[in-house]
Amino acid sequence: MRSIVTGGAGFIGSHLVDYLVSSGDDVIIIDSLVSGNINSIRNHLDSDKVRLVSADLLEDNWQEELAGADRVYHLAADPDVRESSVSPDRQLNNTIIATHRVLEAMRKAGVLEIVFTSTSTVYGEASVIPTPEIYTPMEPISIYGASKLACESLISAYCHSFSMRSWIFRFANIIGDRSGHGVITDFIRKLKDNPDELEILGDGKQTKSYLEVRECIRAIMYVINHSNDIVNTYNIGSEDWVSVSEIADILCHEMGLSPDYRYTGGYRGWVGDVPKMQLDISKLKLLGFVPGLNSRESVKIAVRATLE
Ligand code: NAD
């Protein structure tokens, strides 16, 4: 297959590229490198199977790359939930406008399949936990969650209007090596600066579901290979959850440190933070997928991989 991966130099995107190359795909990565890291894909750039197009989706110099492609994996976005309430414009542009531009480029090039990375934050503070895909009302509490939900709607409309097919994945927290953001990266950075004290945003009781990145890619590819509705929407996460303080404990144990924890207070870490999140993955399991990791195992693997 000839696959396009937007955001392919990013954390999840680079692991997806690893998988696609190992499956024999020809891959074109479109990435502005705003938060991606060329080192994450460097090992592929000498091969004739992968090409990097350094381009911003908000500009106009990448659309011709879609000619002849079979599928677009659209991962490029600004994944910072916290920052989205500080710079809503940036979020709306890099998520909604960029996604619309990708859909338009696909329509014009005749590319009919899109894979989209959405998020648990589209559900907002759900009253049903674990939260299934059919949960309503969808009431996001962050600009990031709202933007992703808008993208899901656009993708659905394009699929029904222009004979396209889509796979939309609502992720829990995806963690692992090459991640440039999130709780583990944040804690490691803080502990390297000061091993005696760890600042924890909120009260540390925020409890969420985490999944290691390779397991996430395994789930994505399983769903793509086993579902073929016009719009295929699936939660991807693990079947348990872990608190922020427990993550700090695991990390400190792995680093051999015993810092004092300093909580900033409040039950949210930041504006738009959903303090309790666990996704219902029954739909994924009904398809035949067998989960391989829980949240705690995912955290341990991610911590060790990040510290390497
Ligand atoms: P990331 O920041 O590592 O990757 C995003 C990539 O997109 C980067 O390489 C960046 O350079 C690129 N990019 C951003 N804006 C661009 C633009 N306008 N044009 C071209 N390239 C652009 O983030 P990630 O954690 O790997 O997230 C990948 C996707 O998964 C995102 O869509 C994110 O919203 C979604 N997601 C991630 C998580 C998570 O826990 N990491 C959870 C839910 C959803």
Side-chain angles (χ1 to χ4, degrees), residues 37 46 118 134 254 303:
N37 185 346
D46 287 340
S118 190
I134 54 169
E254 292 292 331
V303 164

Side-chain angles (χ1 to χ4, degrees), residues 94-299:
N94 282 302
T95 307
I96 304 176
I97 303 300
T99 298
H100 178 241
R101 290 172 66 82
V102 168
L103 287 165
E104 267 301 281
M106 288 176 64
R107 184 174 73 85
K108 288 176 181 156
V111 184
L112 297 179
E113 295 188 352
I114 181 166
V115 176
F116 180 68
T117 47
S118 190
T119 157
S120 63
T121 62
V122 295
Y123 297 118
E125 286 193 85
S127 57
V128 178
I129 295 177
T131 311
E133 292 85 349
I134 54 169
Y135 173 80
T136 54
M138 306 284 269
E139 224 176 270
I141 64 165
S142 63
I143 305 295
Y144 171 75
S147 304
K148 287 287 189 179
L149 187 54
C151 292
E152 290 191 15
S153 298
L154 264 180
I155 290 168
S156 170
Y158 264 74
C159 285
H160 287 280
S161 304
F162 306 116
S163 305
M164 295 180 179
R165 190 180 299 284
S166 63
W167 289 269
I168 294 172
F169 295 106
R170 295 178 180 155
F171 291 161
N173 288 305
I174 308 304
I175 51 177
D177 52 313
R178 305 180 199 159
S179 176
H181 56 94
V183 62
I184 292 174
T185 316
D186 186 39
F187 281 174
I188 291 176
R189 187 181 45 76
K190 284 174 177 165
L191 285 169
K192 283 187 174 162
D193 281 354
N194 180 2
D196 297 323
E197 183 185 270
L198 178 61
E199 180 199 65
I200 297 181
L201 302 180
D203 58 9
K205 293 182 183 148
Q206 305 97 300
T207 309
K208 308 184 192 188
S209 179
Y210 293 81
L211 191 67
E212 198 272 332
V213 63
R214 288 172 185 82
E215 179 73 352
C216 169
I217 303 293
R218 188 171 77 84
I220 291 175
M221 299 314 300
Y222 187 91
V223 173
I224 293 172
N225 291 329
H226 291 86
S227 61
N228 65 352
D229 286 337
I230 293 175
V231 178
N232 304 275
T233 303
Y234 283 80
N235 286 339
I236 293 188
S238 51
E239 293 183 283
D240 62 342
W241 51 7
V242 61
S243 75
V244 172
S245 290
E246 284 175 273
I247 294 177
D249 291 345
I250 294 170
L251 179 60
C252 291
H253 176 77
E254 292 292 331
M255 291 179 82
L257 299 173
S258 314
D260 293 329
Y261 293 165
R262 183 170 57 78
Y263 296 98
T264 59
Y267 70 106
R268 290 185 210 284
W270 53 85
V271 175
D273 183 25
V274 176
K276 303 270 180 237
M277 180 276 288
Q278 190 190 334
L279 298 175
D280 183 337
I281 59 164
S282 308
K283 190 176 171 188
L284 176 63
K285 285 167 60 183
L286 265 176
L287 211 55
F289 182 80
V290 180
L293 290 175
N294 63 28
S295 288
R296 213 161 262 98
E297 289 164 341
S298 293
V299 169

Side-chain angles (χ1 to χ4, degrees), residues 26-47:
D26 288 320
V27 178
I28 296 177
I29 297 170
I30 302 177
D31 199 304
S32 64
L33 299 176
V34 61
S35 61
N37 185 346
I38 199 160
N39 290 327
S40 303
I41 49 166
R42 197 177 290 287
N43 59 326
H44 295 301
L45 295 180
D46 287 340
S47 83

